[in-house]
Amino acid sequence: MALTDSYGRTATDLRVSVTDRCNLRCAYCMPAEGLDWLPRPELLTDDELVRLVGLAVGRLGITEVRFTGGEPLLRRGLTGIIERVAALSPRPQISMTTNGIGLDKLAAPLHAAGLDRINVSLDTLSPETFVALARRDRLGDVLKGLVAAAETGLAPVKVNTVLMRGVNDHEAADLLRFCLGGGYELRFIEQMPLDAQHGWRRAEMVTADEILAELQTGFSLVPADPAERGSAPAETFLVDGGPQTVGIIGSVTRPFCGACDRVRLTADGQLRNCLFARTESDLRTPLRAGASDDELADRWHRCLAVKLPGHGINDPGFLQPARPMSAIGG
Ligand code: SAM
Ligand code: SF4
């Protein structure tokens, strides 16, 4: 039975975090130091993870599974997990969001295992800015990964960019030019209050309006057919007459919660009905206690039933969730 909430939305897109660990420390996501990882025994094993995804696909109407983290490429056994998810019936669409480090070697085996599509995060083309933003000198690795993803035949290859004021916000046009040249679909994401160190400030956020205005100084942008947007969070624009596009995800200033079709499973087996949910549904404990598929499916339904109409970031009483983005799965 489908995962429908009390506002009539149906969750069909499952985001699975396979680890909370990361080899970068992006300033909008993690502090420079001092973030504890989840204890290993709390992480779902490969078998546990595949069982929950299998339940979601086989009984709960999930049609797309996106692997994320933390940095999903750090999960040992990721290729095997993807292979097993691709063997599920009905086979879901399989995608991944990654920082791209290590993708030069992993793109081909992941694609062969069943990965269909990929999003690579890239916030800057300057090695110095990369170090300032991600606190590691790895821009070269990310770029190598991006090229490998496209050469392997993963399609489309999307690029996710978060702009930070005074750090990389002058690079919007350069990043778009780079992505048009490489055949990547660029999407800018407004910075959200999900960083572990609670450093997000509304006034410092680069808004969708600002990004659009900046891009329009160098490109002609025409809204793509809104009928094609569906539940996609990105507003898409044809660049210089198309066919290439750029997307803007205005999570804060242009929320799309009314069309949300997502549900999230954390690496330690907690189900979340929203990135910003303040409660979670524990699937790991009953799973390890021998719960039946019926019992687990029932928990899944109850979690979705209480999904709120919106994320509430713009409400005066908004409280950031206890878990940061890296532990929820972005
Ligand atoms: N490590 C992988 C990566 O960076 O692509 C996957 C996990 S990361 C949390 C998923 C996406 O969330 C990335 O595109 C990242 O840029 C984005 N992200 C992280 N923190 C964010 C924030 N505070 N606001 C908006 N997007 C954020
Ligand atoms: Fe790591 Fe991704 Fe967070 Fe950057 S955004 S610190 S790459 S999890």
Side-chain angles (χ1 to χ4, degrees):
M1 200 171 63
L3 291 168
T4 303
D5 67 37
S6 58
Y7 297 90
R9 297 166 297 189
T10 301
T12 53
D13 178 346
L14 172 64
R15 313 247 145 173
V16 181
S17 173
V18 289
T19 179
D20 61 325
R21 292 171 188 245
C22 193
N23 40 14
L24 296 182
R25 293 288 181 282
C26 304
Y28 49 72
C29 183
M30 286 192 185
E33 284 168 50
L35 185 63
D36 290 335
W37 306 131
L38 292 166
R40 252 177 221 288
E42 290 183 13
L43 298 185
L44 294 181
T45 64
D46 293 3
D47 286 349
E48 289 170 338
L49 198 152
V50 172
R51 173 160 176 219
L52 290 177
V53 174
L55 181 73
V57 168
R59 294 185 40 160
L60 301 171
I62 293 296
T63 55
E64 166 153 12
V65 178
R66 174 171 295 270
F67 292 100
T68 179
E71 177 42 50
L73 296 181
L74 295 181
R75 168 94 185 204
R76 230 177 271 147
L78 180 65
T79 311
I81 292 174
I82 289 184
E83 212 161 45
R84 291 169 69 184
V85 169
L88 293 170
S89 181
R91 185 201 190 281
Q93 279 292 301
I94 305 176
S95 55
M96 184 170 69
T97 302
T98 170
N99 65 25
I101 297 173
L103 197 57
D104 54 334
K105 301 210 170 52
L106 284 169
L110 288 170
H111 188 38
L115 183 69
D116 298 304
R117 296 184 279 107
I118 199 156
N119 288 40
V120 178
S121 301
L122 175 70
D123 300 321
T124 176
L125 296 168
S126 145
E128 293 76 30
T129 306
F130 193 94
V131 173
L133 206 155
R135 297 153 173 148
R136 300 287 187 272
D137 192 3
R138 307 296 297 267
L139 175 62
D141 296 303
V142 176
L143 296 178
K144 271 195 285 180
L146 198 49
V147 169
E151 283 178 355
T152 303
L154 290 164
V157 175
K158 294 188 182 177
V159 167
N160 290 359
T161 298
V162 177
L163 295 177
M164 294 186 80
R165 201 176 295 288
V167 180
N168 63 338
D169 56 336
H170 57 288
E171 284 193 65
D174 287 345
L175 282 160
L176 179 52
R177 239 170 260 119
F178 170 82
C179 287
L180 294 173
Y184 316 125
E185 280 182 32
L186 176 61
R187 302 129 42 91
F188 292 95
I189 308 173
E190 272 181 353
Q191 188 186 349
M192 296 178 278
L194 283 170
D195 55 310
Q197 62 278 27
H198 291 216
W200 181 88
R201 299 289 174 270
R202 179 178 297 274
E204 286 170 26
M205 176 186 63
V206 181
T207 65
D209 283 352
E210 287 177 280
I211 300 166
L212 208 50
E214 171 66 19
L215 293 178
Q216 278 167 331
T217 63
F219 304 89
S220 133
L221 299 185
V222 176
D225 183 359
E228 284 178 17
R229 183 173 176 188
S231 59
E235 282 178 70
T236 308
F237 300 86
L238 292 173
V239 183
D240 292 341
Q244 286 182 290
T245 59
V246 64
I248 300 188
I249 304 183
S251 327
V252 179
T253 63
R254 302 178 180 192
F256 36 84
C257 304
C260 180
D261 62 357
R262 296 181 179 178
V263 56
R264 296 183 142 82
L265 180 63
T266 66
D268 57 348
Q270 310 299 303
L271 196 64
R272 300 177 61 93
N273 58 27
C274 174
L275 261 181
F276 293 91
R278 301 199 45 80
T279 57
E280 301 180 334
S281 225
D282 180 12
L283 297 183
R284 188 189 70 227
T285 305
L287 182 73
R288 290 187 178 169
S292 65
D293 280 359
D294 281 347
E295 286 164 332
L296 292 170
D298 182 51
R299 280 197 170 233
W300 214 300
H301 280 293
R302 278 189 280 139
C303 175
L304 263 293
V306 296
K307 177 162 171 153
L308 295 175
H311 56 44
I313 301 175
N314 302 311
D315 300 345
F318 172 73
L319 285 176
Q320 199 173 320
R323 274 197 206 244
M325 177 78 128
S326 55
I328 295 170

